[in-house]
Amino acid sequence: MEIIMKIDAILKANSYPGRGIIIGRSAASDCAVAAYFIMGRSENSRNRVFKENGGGIRTAAFDESKMSDPSLVIYNAVRVMGSKLVVTNGDQTDTVCALMDQQLTFEQALRTREYEPDAPNFTPRISGILHFAENNFNYAMSILKKDGDSCLRYNFAYNNPAAGDGRFIHTYKSDGDPLPSFEGEPVAVEIAGGIDEFTELIWNALNEENKVSLWTRFVNLKTGDYESRILNKLE
């Protein structure tokens, strides 16, 4: 039987998981849940906030004068495509949306991308998608990692998640220099409480020095209505 971990315990034990995606079903079973957070060690990475962008969010510079290189830190992190919600840690959000609009699958769209070119870390690209149907949903997660001269592509699909069950994937296994990439399947985690309790649980568990921003969303599976929260350290 698979062990379901508490998300706050995982985060408190790791000072630098990097960027992370959590997807699952609320404990009350009536909502699909998604969350995305970013962390940073450099001034460039820490100089960011989440901003609403239509039905999704984007990263933005908090102080434009301190933004030295926007190429890998400024992007659409969350987008809505009809009955789908896409969340990723980079500009592959736009790639997924553009190619799925051309009838490619989530996995096919990500085959056009690789890990980030930020040597020596070569940060993995992590992505998630929620597919909504009548009173239910399923979701998938992906990670693209460097292995020698190759890009390893792992895809994970989850159908009809149980109440309170979620999955957590992040970019780095731990702090380090270079940063070691996440390994294995997305971790089974508990989705506890309503949106405010869940948001606070994650935010308070993230390393105080390294955390930057957090977004959470609860989508009512009967009505399609949703609530979102954004927390930015610099605001």
PDB file of all heavy atoms in Angstrom, residues 11 14-20 36-42 44-48 50 73 75 168 170-172 203 205-214:
ATOM      1  N   LEU A  11       8.212  19.523   2.823  1.00  0.00           N
ATOM      2  CA  LEU A  11       8.806  20.828   2.549  1.00  0.00           C
ATOM      3  C   LEU A  11       9.717  21.304   3.687  1.00  0.00           C
ATOM      4  O   LEU A  11      10.770  21.892   3.441  1.00  0.00           O
ATOM      5  CB  LEU A  11       7.706  21.855   2.281  1.00  0.00           C
ATOM      6  CG  LEU A  11       6.895  21.625   1.009  1.00  0.00           C
ATOM      7  CD1 LEU A  11       5.729  22.604   0.930  1.00  0.00           C
ATOM      8  CD2 LEU A  11       7.778  21.751  -0.237  1.00  0.00           C
ATOM      9  N   ASN A  14      13.260  19.971   3.476  1.00  0.00           N
ATOM     10  CA  ASN A  14      14.053  20.283   2.287  1.00  0.00           C
ATOM     11  C   ASN A  14      14.118  21.796   2.131  1.00  0.00           C
ATOM     12  O   ASN A  14      13.126  22.443   1.800  1.00  0.00           O
ATOM     13  CB  ASN A  14      13.394  19.647   1.053  1.00  0.00           C
ATOM     14  CG  ASN A  14      14.245  19.774  -0.204  1.00  0.00           C
ATOM     15  OD1 ASN A  14      15.242  20.498  -0.226  1.00  0.00           O
ATOM     16  ND2 ASN A  14      13.853  19.079  -1.258  1.00  0.00           N
ATOM     17  N   SER A  15      15.299  22.367   2.347  1.00  0.00           N
ATOM     18  CA  SER A  15      15.436  23.828   2.279  1.00  0.00           C
ATOM     19  C   SER A  15      15.338  24.368   0.860  1.00  0.00           C
ATOM     20  O   SER A  15      15.080  25.556   0.660  1.00  0.00           O
ATOM     21  CB  SER A  15      16.772  24.256   2.891  1.00  0.00           C
ATOM     22  OG  SER A  15      17.861  23.740   2.135  1.00  0.00           O
ATOM     23  N   TYR A  16      15.520  23.475  -0.138  1.00  0.00           N
ATOM     24  CA  TYR A  16      15.463  23.983  -1.508  1.00  0.00           C
ATOM     25  C   TYR A  16      14.918  22.947  -2.490  1.00  0.00           C
ATOM     26  O   TYR A  16      15.663  22.367  -3.287  1.00  0.00           O
ATOM     27  CB  TYR A  16      16.836  24.465  -1.969  1.00  0.00           C
ATOM     28  CG  TYR A  16      16.723  25.466  -3.097  1.00  0.00           C
ATOM     29  CD1 TYR A  16      16.174  26.719  -2.870  1.00  0.00           C
ATOM     30  CD2 TYR A  16      17.128  25.155  -4.388  1.00  0.00           C
ATOM     31  CE1 TYR A  16      16.039  27.638  -3.892  1.00  0.00           C
ATOM     32  CE2 TYR A  16      17.001  26.068  -5.417  1.00  0.00           C
ATOM     33  CZ  TYR A  16      16.450  27.316  -5.159  1.00  0.00           C
ATOM     34  OH  TYR A  16      16.307  28.222  -6.174  1.00  0.00           O
ATOM     35  N   PRO A  17      13.590  22.714  -2.470  1.00  0.00           N
ATOM     36  CA  PRO A  17      12.989  21.870  -3.509  1.00  0.00           C
ATOM     37  C   PRO A  17      12.873  22.574  -4.847  1.00  0.00           C
ATOM     38  O   PRO A  17      12.542  21.948  -5.847  1.00  0.00           O
ATOM     39  CB  PRO A  17      11.609  21.545  -2.932  1.00  0.00           C
ATOM     40  CG  PRO A  17      11.300  22.691  -2.020  1.00  0.00           C
ATOM     41  CD  PRO A  17      12.630  23.113  -1.446  1.00  0.00           C
ATOM     42  N   GLY A  18      13.141  23.880  -4.875  1.00  0.00           N
ATOM     43  CA  GLY A  18      13.126  24.640  -6.131  1.00  0.00           C
ATOM     44  C   GLY A  18      11.742  25.115  -6.491  1.00  0.00           C
ATOM     45  O   GLY A  18      11.135  25.918  -5.791  1.00  0.00           O
ATOM     46  N   ARG A  19      11.228  24.620  -7.613  1.00  0.00           N
ATOM     47  CA  ARG A  19       9.855  24.920  -8.029  1.00  0.00           C
ATOM     48  C   ARG A  19       9.036  23.644  -7.891  1.00  0.00           C
ATOM     49  O   ARG A  19       9.553  22.554  -8.161  1.00  0.00           O
ATOM     50  CB  ARG A  19       9.843  25.406  -9.480  1.00  0.00           C
ATOM     51  CG  ARG A  19      10.350  26.834  -9.641  1.00  0.00           C
ATOM     52  CD  ARG A  19      10.655  27.171 -11.090  1.00  0.00           C
ATOM     53  NE  ARG A  19      12.037  26.834 -11.438  1.00  0.00           N
ATOM     54  CZ  ARG A  19      12.539  26.919 -12.668  1.00  0.00           C
ATOM     55  NH1 ARG A  19      11.760  27.298 -13.671  1.00  0.00           N
ATOM     56  NH2 ARG A  19      13.801  26.617 -12.895  1.00  0.00           N
ATOM     57  N   GLY A  20       7.786  23.773  -7.476  1.00  0.00           N
ATOM     58  CA  GLY A  20       6.990  22.582  -7.210  1.00  0.00           C
ATOM     59  C   GLY A  20       5.559  22.694  -7.686  1.00  0.00           C
ATOM     60  O   GLY A  20       4.967  23.786  -7.663  1.00  0.00           O
ATOM     61  N   TYR A  36       1.224  25.749  -7.249  1.00  0.00           N
ATOM     62  CA  TYR A  36       2.549  25.923  -7.845  1.00  0.00           C
ATOM     63  C   TYR A  36       3.324  26.927  -7.009  1.00  0.00           C
ATOM     64  O   TYR A  36       2.799  27.988  -6.652  1.00  0.00           O
ATOM     65  CB  TYR A  36       2.429  26.430  -9.286  1.00  0.00           C
ATOM     66  CG  TYR A  36       3.769  26.705  -9.944  1.00  0.00           C
ATOM     67  CD1 TYR A  36       4.740  25.716 -10.055  1.00  0.00           C
ATOM     68  CD2 TYR A  36       4.082  27.974 -10.451  1.00  0.00           C
ATOM     69  CE1 TYR A  36       5.964  25.963 -10.640  1.00  0.00           C
ATOM     70  CE2 TYR A  36       5.308  28.230 -11.047  1.00  0.00           C
ATOM     71  CZ  TYR A  36       6.245  27.222 -11.140  1.00  0.00           C
ATOM     72  OH  TYR A  36       7.478  27.472 -11.714  1.00  0.00           O
ATOM     73  N   PHE A  37       4.567  26.597  -6.664  1.00  0.00           N
ATOM     74  CA  PHE A  37       5.398  27.544  -5.931  1.00  0.00           C
ATOM     75  C   PHE A  37       6.758  27.671  -6.593  1.00  0.00           C
ATOM     76  O   PHE A  37       7.214  26.772  -7.314  1.00  0.00           O
ATOM     77  CB  PHE A  37       5.555  27.137  -4.456  1.00  0.00           C
ATOM     78  CG  PHE A  37       6.308  25.854  -4.215  1.00  0.00           C
ATOM     79  CD1 PHE A  37       7.693  25.803  -4.275  1.00  0.00           C
ATOM     80  CD2 PHE A  37       5.624  24.684  -3.903  1.00  0.00           C
ATOM     81  CE1 PHE A  37       8.394  24.624  -4.050  1.00  0.00           C
ATOM     82  CE2 PHE A  37       6.309  23.495  -3.661  1.00  0.00           C
ATOM     83  CZ  PHE A  37       7.695  23.473  -3.746  1.00  0.00           C
ATOM     84  N   ILE A  38       7.393  28.812  -6.354  1.00  0.00           N
ATOM     85  CA  ILE A  38       8.752  29.041  -6.839  1.00  0.00           C
ATOM     86  C   ILE A  38       9.620  29.484  -5.667  1.00  0.00           C
ATOM     87  O   ILE A  38       9.154  30.094  -4.712  1.00  0.00           O
ATOM     88  CB  ILE A  38       8.821  30.088  -7.970  1.00  0.00           C
ATOM     89  CG1 ILE A  38       8.256  31.442  -7.520  1.00  0.00           C
ATOM     90  CG2 ILE A  38       8.079  29.586  -9.203  1.00  0.00           C
ATOM     91  CD1 ILE A  38       8.429  32.550  -8.563  1.00  0.00           C
ATOM     92  N   MET A  39      10.907  29.142  -5.765  1.00  0.00           N
ATOM     93  CA  MET A  39      11.894  29.540  -4.774  1.00  0.00           C
ATOM     94  C   MET A  39      13.086  30.132  -5.510  1.00  0.00           C
ATOM     95  O   MET A  39      13.168  30.062  -6.747  1.00  0.00           O
ATOM     96  CB  MET A  39      12.320  28.341  -3.930  1.00  0.00           C
ATOM     97  CG  MET A  39      11.148  27.611  -3.283  1.00  0.00           C
ATOM     98  SD  MET A  39      11.642  26.211  -2.246  1.00  0.00           S
ATOM     99  CE  MET A  39      12.098  27.061  -0.736  1.00  0.00           C
ATOM    100  N   GLY A  40      14.007  30.724  -4.783  1.00  0.00           N
ATOM    101  CA  GLY A  40      15.171  31.311  -5.432  1.00  0.00           C
ATOM    102  C   GLY A  40      16.349  31.451  -4.482  1.00  0.00           C
ATOM    103  O   GLY A  40      16.170  31.671  -3.285  1.00  0.00           O
ATOM    104  N   ARG A  41      17.552  31.310  -5.051  1.00  0.00           N
ATOM    105  CA  ARG A  41      18.774  31.536  -4.274  1.00  0.00           C
ATOM    106  C   ARG A  41      19.481  32.804  -4.733  1.00  0.00           C
ATOM    107  O   ARG A  41      20.156  33.459  -3.940  1.00  0.00           O
ATOM    108  CB  ARG A  41      19.727  30.344  -4.406  1.00  0.00           C
ATOM    109  CG  ARG A  41      19.167  29.037  -3.888  1.00  0.00           C
ATOM    110  CD  ARG A  41      20.231  27.949  -3.783  1.00  0.00           C
ATOM    111  NE  ARG A  41      20.897  27.674  -5.052  1.00  0.00           N
ATOM    112  CZ  ARG A  41      21.852  26.767  -5.221  1.00  0.00           C
ATOM    113  NH1 ARG A  41      22.261  26.037  -4.175  1.00  0.00           N
ATOM    114  NH2 ARG A  41      22.406  26.551  -6.394  1.00  0.00           N
ATOM    115  N   SER A  42      19.344  33.157  -6.017  1.00  0.00           N
ATOM    116  CA  SER A  42      20.002  34.355  -6.547  1.00  0.00           C
ATOM    117  C   SER A  42      19.063  35.558  -6.456  1.00  0.00           C
ATOM    118  O   SER A  42      17.846  35.414  -6.322  1.00  0.00           O
ATOM    119  CB  SER A  42      20.376  34.137  -8.017  1.00  0.00           C
ATOM    120  OG  SER A  42      19.214  34.034  -8.823  1.00  0.00           O
ATOM    121  N   ASN A  44      18.306  37.480  -8.854  1.00  0.00           N
ATOM    122  CA  ASN A  44      17.464  37.471 -10.048  1.00  0.00           C
ATOM    123  C   ASN A  44      16.231  36.587  -9.840  1.00  0.00           C
ATOM    124  O   ASN A  44      15.109  36.948 -10.222  1.00  0.00           O
ATOM    125  CB  ASN A  44      18.269  36.977 -11.247  1.00  0.00           C
ATOM    126  CG  ASN A  44      17.616  37.289 -12.577  1.00  0.00           C
ATOM    127  OD1 ASN A  44      17.255  38.435 -12.843  1.00  0.00           O
ATOM    128  ND2 ASN A  44      17.455  36.289 -13.411  1.00  0.00           N
ATOM    129  N   SER A  45      16.427  35.426  -9.224  1.00  0.00           N
ATOM    130  CA  SER A  45      15.314  34.516  -8.995  1.00  0.00           C
ATOM    131  C   SER A  45      14.373  35.007  -7.900  1.00  0.00           C
ATOM    132  O   SER A  45      13.159  34.813  -7.977  1.00  0.00           O
ATOM    133  CB  SER A  45      15.839  33.125  -8.609  1.00  0.00           C
ATOM    134  OG  SER A  45      16.486  32.510  -9.699  1.00  0.00           O
ATOM    135  N   ARG A  46      14.943  35.641  -6.887  1.00  0.00           N
ATOM    136  CA  ARG A  46      14.128  36.106  -5.774  1.00  0.00           C
ATOM    137  C   ARG A  46      13.359  37.379  -6.091  1.00  0.00           C
ATOM    138  O   ARG A  46      12.385  37.710  -5.411  1.00  0.00           O
ATOM    139  CB  ARG A  46      15.004  36.332  -4.543  1.00  0.00           C
ATOM    140  CG  ARG A  46      15.555  35.037  -3.953  1.00  0.00           C
ATOM    141  CD  ARG A  46      16.491  35.292  -2.789  1.00  0.00           C
ATOM    142  NE  ARG A  46      16.902  34.032  -2.166  1.00  0.00           N
ATOM    143  CZ  ARG A  46      17.756  33.956  -1.155  1.00  0.00           C
ATOM    144  NH1 ARG A  46      18.293  35.068  -0.642  1.00  0.00           N
ATOM    145  NH2 ARG A  46      18.075  32.774  -0.645  1.00  0.00           N
ATOM    146  N   ASN A  47      13.766  38.069  -7.117  1.00  0.00           N
ATOM    147  CA  ASN A  47      13.141  39.331  -7.506  1.00  0.00           C
ATOM    148  C   ASN A  47      11.904  39.078  -8.382  1.00  0.00           C
ATOM    149  O   ASN A  47      11.788  39.562  -9.500  1.00  0.00           O
ATOM    150  CB  ASN A  47      14.167  40.200  -8.252  1.00  0.00           C
ATOM    151  CG  ASN A  47      13.587  41.504  -8.748  1.00  0.00           C
ATOM    152  OD1 ASN A  47      12.773  42.131  -8.067  1.00  0.00           O
ATOM    153  ND2 ASN A  47      13.984  41.909  -9.950  1.00  0.00           N
ATOM    154  N   ARG A  48      10.973  38.256  -7.867  1.00  0.00           N
ATOM    155  CA  ARG A  48       9.802  37.907  -8.667  1.00  0.00           C
ATOM    156  C   ARG A  48       8.542  37.850  -7.819  1.00  0.00           C
ATOM    157  O   ARG A  48       8.595  37.648  -6.605  1.00  0.00           O
ATOM    158  CB  ARG A  48      10.003  36.542  -9.344  1.00  0.00           C
ATOM    159  CG  ARG A  48      11.038  36.538 -10.430  1.00  0.00           C
ATOM    160  CD  ARG A  48      11.100  35.188 -11.109  1.00  0.00           C
ATOM    161  NE  ARG A  48      11.633  34.155 -10.237  1.00  0.00           N
ATOM    162  CZ  ARG A  48      11.623  32.851 -10.516  1.00  0.00           C
ATOM    163  NH1 ARG A  48      11.073  32.436 -11.652  1.00  0.00           N
ATOM    164  NH2 ARG A  48      12.139  31.966  -9.675  1.00  0.00           N
ATOM    165  N   PHE A  50       4.128  36.527  -8.397  1.00  0.00           N
ATOM    166  CA  PHE A  50       3.081  35.999  -9.259  1.00  0.00           C
ATOM    167  C   PHE A  50       2.041  37.091  -9.478  1.00  0.00           C
ATOM    168  O   PHE A  50       1.668  37.801  -8.546  1.00  0.00           O
ATOM    169  CB  PHE A  50       2.385  34.800  -8.612  1.00  0.00           C
ATOM    170  CG  PHE A  50       3.160  33.516  -8.660  1.00  0.00           C
ATOM    171  CD1 PHE A  50       2.789  32.455  -7.842  1.00  0.00           C
ATOM    172  CD2 PHE A  50       4.237  33.336  -9.514  1.00  0.00           C
ATOM    173  CE1 PHE A  50       3.473  31.256  -7.865  1.00  0.00           C
ATOM    174  CE2 PHE A  50       4.941  32.141  -9.555  1.00  0.00           C
ATOM    175  CZ  PHE A  50       4.559  31.100  -8.720  1.00  0.00           C
ATOM    176  N   VAL A  73      13.154  32.961 -16.029  1.00  0.00           N
ATOM    177  CA  VAL A  73      12.426  33.264 -14.793  1.00  0.00           C
ATOM    178  C   VAL A  73      11.104  33.985 -15.021  1.00  0.00           C
ATOM    179  O   VAL A  73      10.269  34.053 -14.120  1.00  0.00           O
ATOM    180  CB  VAL A  73      13.308  34.080 -13.811  1.00  0.00           C
ATOM    181  CG1 VAL A  73      14.508  33.267 -13.372  1.00  0.00           C
ATOM    182  CG2 VAL A  73      13.749  35.398 -14.428  1.00  0.00           C
ATOM    183  N   TYR A  75       7.647  33.968 -17.199  1.00  0.00           N
ATOM    184  CA  TYR A  75       6.880  33.079 -18.078  1.00  0.00           C
ATOM    185  C   TYR A  75       5.438  32.967 -17.572  1.00  0.00           C
ATOM    186  O   TYR A  75       5.135  33.339 -16.430  1.00  0.00           O
ATOM    187  CB  TYR A  75       7.513  31.679 -18.110  1.00  0.00           C
ATOM    188  CG  TYR A  75       7.750  31.068 -16.748  1.00  0.00           C
ATOM    189  CD1 TYR A  75       6.762  30.326 -16.092  1.00  0.00           C
ATOM    190  CD2 TYR A  75       8.966  31.251 -16.086  1.00  0.00           C
ATOM    191  CE1 TYR A  75       6.964  29.791 -14.844  1.00  0.00           C
ATOM    192  CE2 TYR A  75       9.180  30.714 -14.823  1.00  0.00           C
ATOM    193  CZ  TYR A  75       8.183  29.985 -14.207  1.00  0.00           C
ATOM    194  OH  TYR A  75       8.401  29.466 -12.959  1.00  0.00           O
ATOM    195  N   PHE A 168       2.894  15.353  -5.752  1.00  0.00           N
ATOM    196  CA  PHE A 168       3.803  16.483  -5.646  1.00  0.00           C
ATOM    197  C   PHE A 168       5.075  16.174  -6.424  1.00  0.00           C
ATOM    198  O   PHE A 168       5.725  15.160  -6.202  1.00  0.00           O
ATOM    199  CB  PHE A 168       4.115  16.730  -4.169  1.00  0.00           C
ATOM    200  CG  PHE A 168       5.174  17.763  -3.900  1.00  0.00           C
ATOM    201  CD1 PHE A 168       5.261  18.927  -4.638  1.00  0.00           C
ATOM    202  CD2 PHE A 168       6.093  17.562  -2.865  1.00  0.00           C
ATOM    203  CE1 PHE A 168       6.239  19.877  -4.369  1.00  0.00           C
ATOM    204  CE2 PHE A 168       7.067  18.503  -2.582  1.00  0.00           C
ATOM    205  CZ  PHE A 168       7.135  19.666  -3.338  1.00  0.00           C
ATOM    206  N   HIS A 170       8.722  18.214  -7.901  1.00  0.00           N
ATOM    207  CA  HIS A 170       9.505  19.450  -7.793  1.00  0.00           C
ATOM    208  C   HIS A 170      10.810  19.295  -8.556  1.00  0.00           C
ATOM    209  O   HIS A 170      11.170  18.193  -8.985  1.00  0.00           O
ATOM    210  CB  HIS A 170       9.733  19.839  -6.334  1.00  0.00           C
ATOM    211  CG  HIS A 170      10.227  18.746  -5.442  1.00  0.00           C
ATOM    212  ND1 HIS A 170      11.555  18.576  -5.118  1.00  0.00           N
ATOM    213  CD2 HIS A 170       9.563  17.759  -4.800  1.00  0.00           C
ATOM    214  CE1 HIS A 170      11.693  17.549  -4.307  1.00  0.00           C
ATOM    215  NE2 HIS A 170      10.507  17.015  -4.098  1.00  0.00           N
ATOM    216  N   THR A 171      11.537  20.385  -8.695  1.00  0.00           N
ATOM    217  CA  THR A 171      12.695  20.370  -9.589  1.00  0.00           C
ATOM    218  C   THR A 171      13.944  19.757  -8.968  1.00  0.00           C
ATOM    219  O   THR A 171      14.686  19.041  -9.640  1.00  0.00           O
ATOM    220  CB  THR A 171      13.032  21.790 -10.075  1.00  0.00           C
ATOM    221  OG1 THR A 171      13.114  22.675  -8.950  1.00  0.00           O
ATOM    222  CG2 THR A 171      11.975  22.295 -11.053  1.00  0.00           C
ATOM    223  N   TYR A 172      14.182  20.027  -7.668  1.00  0.00           N
ATOM    224  CA  TYR A 172      15.439  19.599  -7.059  1.00  0.00           C
ATOM    225  C   TYR A 172      15.207  18.652  -5.882  1.00  0.00           C
ATOM    226  O   TYR A 172      14.336  18.874  -5.051  1.00  0.00           O
ATOM    227  CB  TYR A 172      16.240  20.803  -6.566  1.00  0.00           C
ATOM    228  CG  TYR A 172      16.456  21.849  -7.625  1.00  0.00           C
ATOM    229  CD1 TYR A 172      16.089  23.176  -7.398  1.00  0.00           C
ATOM    230  CD2 TYR A 172      17.011  21.522  -8.862  1.00  0.00           C
ATOM    231  CE1 TYR A 172      16.283  24.149  -8.364  1.00  0.00           C
ATOM    232  CE2 TYR A 172      17.201  22.492  -9.841  1.00  0.00           C
ATOM    233  CZ  TYR A 172      16.830  23.808  -9.588  1.00  0.00           C
ATOM    234  OH  TYR A 172      17.010  24.761 -10.543  1.00  0.00           O
ATOM    235  N   TRP A 203       2.750  27.458   2.384  1.00  0.00           N
ATOM    236  CA  TRP A 203       3.549  28.677   2.506  1.00  0.00           C
ATOM    237  C   TRP A 203       4.392  28.666   3.775  1.00  0.00           C
ATOM    238  O   TRP A 203       5.578  29.011   3.757  1.00  0.00           O
ATOM    239  CB  TRP A 203       2.632  29.898   2.484  1.00  0.00           C
ATOM    240  CG  TRP A 203       3.340  31.212   2.450  1.00  0.00           C
ATOM    241  CD1 TRP A 203       3.381  32.160   3.433  1.00  0.00           C
ATOM    242  CD2 TRP A 203       4.116  31.753   1.363  1.00  0.00           C
ATOM    243  NE1 TRP A 203       4.121  33.249   3.027  1.00  0.00           N
ATOM    244  CE2 TRP A 203       4.583  33.023   1.764  1.00  0.00           C
ATOM    245  CE3 TRP A 203       4.443  31.277   0.091  1.00  0.00           C
ATOM    246  CZ2 TRP A 203       5.364  33.825   0.938  1.00  0.00           C
ATOM    247  CZ3 TRP A 203       5.238  32.080  -0.734  1.00  0.00           C
ATOM    248  CH2 TRP A 203       5.689  33.337  -0.314  1.00  0.00           C
ATOM    249  N   ALA A 205       5.446  26.136   5.374  1.00  0.00           N
ATOM    250  CA  ALA A 205       6.422  25.043   5.379  1.00  0.00           C
ATOM    251  C   ALA A 205       7.614  25.319   4.471  1.00  0.00           C
ATOM    252  O   ALA A 205       8.669  24.696   4.632  1.00  0.00           O
ATOM    253  CB  ALA A 205       5.750  23.742   4.957  1.00  0.00           C
ATOM    254  N   LEU A 206       7.467  26.232   3.522  1.00  0.00           N
ATOM    255  CA  LEU A 206       8.569  26.557   2.609  1.00  0.00           C
ATOM    256  C   LEU A 206       9.662  27.319   3.357  1.00  0.00           C
ATOM    257  O   LEU A 206       9.373  28.159   4.215  1.00  0.00           O
ATOM    258  CB  LEU A 206       8.063  27.406   1.442  1.00  0.00           C
ATOM    259  CG  LEU A 206       7.190  26.696   0.410  1.00  0.00           C
ATOM    260  CD1 LEU A 206       6.524  27.706  -0.520  1.00  0.00           C
ATOM    261  CD2 LEU A 206       8.003  25.690  -0.398  1.00  0.00           C
ATOM    262  N   ASN A 207      10.911  27.035   3.020  1.00  0.00           N
ATOM    263  CA  ASN A 207      12.052  27.688   3.650  1.00  0.00           C
ATOM    264  C   ASN A 207      11.913  29.209   3.563  1.00  0.00           C
ATOM    265  O   ASN A 207      11.736  29.760   2.471  1.00  0.00           O
ATOM    266  CB  ASN A 207      13.340  27.230   2.982  1.00  0.00           C
ATOM    267  CG  ASN A 207      14.566  27.877   3.581  1.00  0.00           C
ATOM    268  OD1 ASN A 207      14.997  28.938   3.139  1.00  0.00           O
ATOM    269  ND2 ASN A 207      15.140  27.235   4.588  1.00  0.00           N
ATOM    270  N   GLU A 208      11.984  29.876   4.697  1.00  0.00           N
ATOM    271  CA  GLU A 208      11.713  31.313   4.765  1.00  0.00           C
ATOM    272  C   GLU A 208      12.676  32.126   3.905  1.00  0.00           C
ATOM    273  O   GLU A 208      12.281  33.106   3.260  1.00  0.00           O
ATOM    274  CB  GLU A 208      11.784  31.783   6.215  1.00  0.00           C
ATOM    275  CG  GLU A 208      11.437  33.244   6.423  1.00  0.00           C
ATOM    276  CD  GLU A 208      10.002  33.585   6.040  1.00  0.00           C
ATOM    277  OE1 GLU A 208       9.118  32.714   6.185  1.00  0.00           O
ATOM    278  OE2 GLU A 208       9.762  34.725   5.583  1.00  0.00           O
ATOM    279  N   GLU A 209      13.924  31.739   3.876  1.00  0.00           N
ATOM    280  CA  GLU A 209      14.923  32.507   3.115  1.00  0.00           C
ATOM    281  C   GLU A 209      14.754  32.317   1.616  1.00  0.00           C
ATOM    282  O   GLU A 209      14.948  33.259   0.840  1.00  0.00           O
ATOM    283  CB  GLU A 209      16.329  32.068   3.529  1.00  0.00           C
ATOM    284  CG  GLU A 209      17.438  32.845   2.823  1.00  0.00           C
ATOM    285  CD  GLU A 209      18.815  32.412   3.267  1.00  0.00           C
ATOM    286  OE1 GLU A 209      18.921  31.488   4.098  1.00  0.00           O
ATOM    287  OE2 GLU A 209      19.796  33.002   2.780  1.00  0.00           O
ATOM    288  N   ASN A 210      14.372  31.125   1.188  1.00  0.00           N
ATOM    289  CA  ASN A 210      14.364  30.812  -0.245  1.00  0.00           C
ATOM    290  C   ASN A 210      13.005  30.921  -0.929  1.00  0.00           C
ATOM    291  O   ASN A 210      12.944  30.976  -2.157  1.00  0.00           O
ATOM    292  CB  ASN A 210      14.898  29.395  -0.452  1.00  0.00           C
ATOM    293  CG  ASN A 210      16.356  29.259  -0.049  1.00  0.00           C
ATOM    294  OD1 ASN A 210      17.157  30.165  -0.250  1.00  0.00           O
ATOM    295  ND2 ASN A 210      16.705  28.121   0.538  1.00  0.00           N
ATOM    296  N   LYS A 211      11.897  30.934  -0.173  1.00  0.00           N
ATOM    297  CA  LYS A 211      10.590  30.969  -0.833  1.00  0.00           C
ATOM    298  C   LYS A 211      10.355  32.317  -1.500  1.00  0.00           C
ATOM    299  O   LYS A 211      10.823  33.358  -1.035  1.00  0.00           O
ATOM    300  CB  LYS A 211       9.471  30.646   0.156  1.00  0.00           C
ATOM    301  CG  LYS A 211       9.223  31.672   1.252  1.00  0.00           C
ATOM    302  CD  LYS A 211       8.132  31.145   2.184  1.00  0.00           C
ATOM    303  CE  LYS A 211       7.840  32.101   3.336  1.00  0.00           C
ATOM    304  NZ  LYS A 211       6.825  31.531   4.261  1.00  0.00           N
ATOM    305  N   VAL A 212       9.635  32.274  -2.620  1.00  0.00           N
ATOM    306  CA  VAL A 212       9.391  33.485  -3.415  1.00  0.00           C
ATOM    307  C   VAL A 212       7.888  33.717  -3.590  1.00  0.00           C
ATOM    308  O   VAL A 212       7.365  34.769  -3.227  1.00  0.00           O
ATOM    309  CB  VAL A 212      10.086  33.388  -4.789  1.00  0.00           C
ATOM    310  CG1 VAL A 212       9.708  34.567  -5.681  1.00  0.00           C
ATOM    311  CG2 VAL A 212      11.605  33.334  -4.610  1.00  0.00           C
ATOM    312  N   SER A 213       7.178  32.757  -4.189  1.00  0.00           N
ATOM    313  CA  SER A 213       5.750  32.941  -4.474  1.00  0.00           C
ATOM    314  C   SER A 213       5.018  31.602  -4.457  1.00  0.00           C
ATOM    315  O   SER A 213       5.617  30.547  -4.723  1.00  0.00           O
ATOM    316  CB  SER A 213       5.536  33.594  -5.850  1.00  0.00           C
ATOM    317  OG  SER A 213       6.072  34.899  -5.900  1.00  0.00           O
ATOM    318  N   LEU A 214       3.704  31.673  -4.181  1.00  0.00           N
ATOM    319  CA  LEU A 214       2.841  30.497  -4.159  1.00  0.00           C
ATOM    320  C   LEU A 214       1.486  30.842  -4.757  1.00  0.00           C
ATOM    321  O   LEU A 214       0.914  31.892  -4.455  1.00  0.00           O
ATOM    322  CB  LEU A 214       2.660  30.005  -2.720  1.00  0.00           C
ATOM    323  CG  LEU A 214       1.574  28.953  -2.466  1.00  0.00           C
ATOM    324  CD1 LEU A 214       1.911  27.636  -3.143  1.00  0.00           C
ATOM    325  CD2 LEU A 214       1.352  28.762  -0.966  1.00  0.00           C
TER     326      LEU A 214
END
